[in-house]
Amino acid sequence: MRPAQLKEKIINVSLNSSSLYSKVKSKARELAEFLKEGYLVISMGKASMTMFKGFIDGSGLEPIEGLIVKPRGLGYDVALDKIDVIEAGHPLPDEGSLRAGEKALTIARRAGELERPLVVLVSGGGSAMVESPIEGVSLEDLVTINRLLLNSGASISEINVVRRHLSRVKGGGLVKASGNVEVYGLYASDVPGDFLEDIASGPTAPDPTTFHDALEVMKRYELLDRAPEGVVKVLRKGEEGALEETLKPGDPRLRRVTNVIVASAFDVVNGVAKALSEEGYNTIILTTTAQGESREVGKFLASITFDIIRKGVPLRPPAAIVAGGETSVSVKGHGLGGRNQELALSWALELRRLGIRGDDALMIALATDGIDGPTDAAGAAITPGSIDLMYRSGVNPVKALIENDSYHALASVDALIKTGPTGSNLNNVIVILVSGHEH
């Protein structure tokens, strides 16, 4: 089967492999015996609805009280009593995020008062959607610093170092608030390396970083002079020891905490790789932790694709490279796009520069949550041949890349993938297919 014919299958396998319902349901069965006397629950992030349903169905137990924090615009059909549902913003926090943060802390304290376990279901997006800032930091400050960080080219790990040190929820904040009860954190990882402290900034996880580290991130990306005064003041006070640090590894309170990663990008990447092997492609999983500037990663992947096409290394065609991770974009232009769209456009441009013009190579770059950047697209599916089609339609793809306007360039050749919000979030998947071999 040629690359173009496999496009829909790859997208479907990617989304099916990222489904969290069954994974959470299985883990909930294991935990049910510890929750029979009653428990409280908080479910946050882009997959909050799916994870909540999986937990309820798996445990067979309804919570005493609970909170679901979901993305704006995502439907829900939960009808349980004593479950609050709050819509909140992403990728930037909003008033809903603050309500969700205060409610999450209230439920954590309530668990301590009732001496009942607290279950926290965590998926990507929770950093923006659940927030209770340290005194001195306003919502406007949070929006500004998040926008600066997201557009700076900083990695998600670096961004979350700063986020954790501005928050009462993040970096183990829910553990601090819960008194002496057992806490069970079930995490769906959307970050490279699956570090708990980076998944929604780790509301039940220890944080190995410090206020000093947060200031170093700000310095590294030259944000100190552009950041809100309240943010800088809080970070400096923390560095001086005037504010309590986040929960640290080795803290005795962690003895009552069980954190488990129930799903990660590897599940998606492995599922896609198996499907392509079954289709007869020589397949390799390149990495599940791809990071760096999207356009530079795109160029690097183009060089590998070129070698497969021209030299049959590291794989002979028909060949498939599968990768996962989270690249970043330093936004300097005024266009529209996302990390996957920019990566795909850069890949196709680089192959075109190297003299590859046809459709025997295909890249699919896809966000498993269905949302790539501030757009209605999940990513892109493109061939090197698409570049000439862009020029013929009056679009200059080089200029589009410079302006961070990959969305409109890709739209001009019908290369965007649109799935709508998927109710899951296991990072991004990148697939490269090569069917032919040039001599």
Side-chain angles (χ1 to χ4, degrees), residues 170-215:
K170 300 171 173 55
L174 294 182
V175 174
K176 290 182 179 182
S178 64
N180 295 311
V181 299
E182 295 292 317
V183 177
Y184 300 96
L186 274 61
Y187 284 73
S189 175
D190 68 327
V191 297
D194 300 333
F195 296 107
L196 285 170
E197 67 268 21
D198 284 332
I199 307 169
S201 298
T204 68
D207 173 22
T209 68
T210 64
F211 281 102
H212 174 76
D213 294 327
L215 283 167

Side-chain angles (χ1 to χ4, degrees), residues 262-432:
V262 295
S264 71
F266 179 77
D267 298 309
V268 182
V269 169
N270 195 45
V272 171
K274 285 182 177 179
L276 291 171
S277 294
E278 291 169 1
E279 290 289 340
Y281 279 75
N282 298 315
T283 304
I284 185 173
I285 295 177
L286 187 63
T287 179
T288 60
T289 57
Q291 297 184 77
E293 277 287 330
S294 287
R295 62 183 63 192
E296 298 304 322
V297 175
K299 287 181 181 179
F300 173 69
L301 292 174
S303 72
I304 297 175
T305 309
F306 181 82
D307 281 345
I308 292 173
I309 294 171
R310 290 292 174 87
K311 301 173 183 177
V313 294
L315 297 171
R316 292 188 63 81
I321 292 176
V322 187
E326 184 162 359
T327 57
S328 54
V329 176
S330 297
V331 179
K332 299 177 181 178
H334 301 285
L336 182 66
R339 56 174 57 93
N340 291 289
Q341 295 164 58
E342 185 149 315
L343 189 153
L345 180 59
S346 174
W347 173 85
L349 273 169
E350 182 65 7
L351 280 174
R352 173 66 179 77
R353 188 186 71 80
L354 292 169
I356 306 299
R357 295 171 175 262
D359 296 329
D360 284 340
L362 169 74
M363 170 180 276
I364 294 173
L366 175 72
T368 58
D369 62 0
I371 305 167
D372 187 36
T375 76
D376 61 353
I382 190 170
T383 69
S386 301
I387 299 300
D388 286 338
L389 294 177
M390 289 178 190
Y391 281 116
R392 288 176 200 154
S393 69
V395 173
N396 184 331
V398 174
K399 183 179 179 180
L401 190 62
I402 292 170
E403 286 294 316
N404 301 116
D405 197 24
S406 53
Y407 180 93
H408 292 110
L410 294 162
S412 72
V413 293
D414 196 28
L416 293 171
I417 298 171
K418 296 185 179 183
T419 63
T422 64
S424 182
N425 189 20
L426 293 181
N427 219 324
N428 307 289
V429 61
I430 303 162
V431 179
I432 298 169

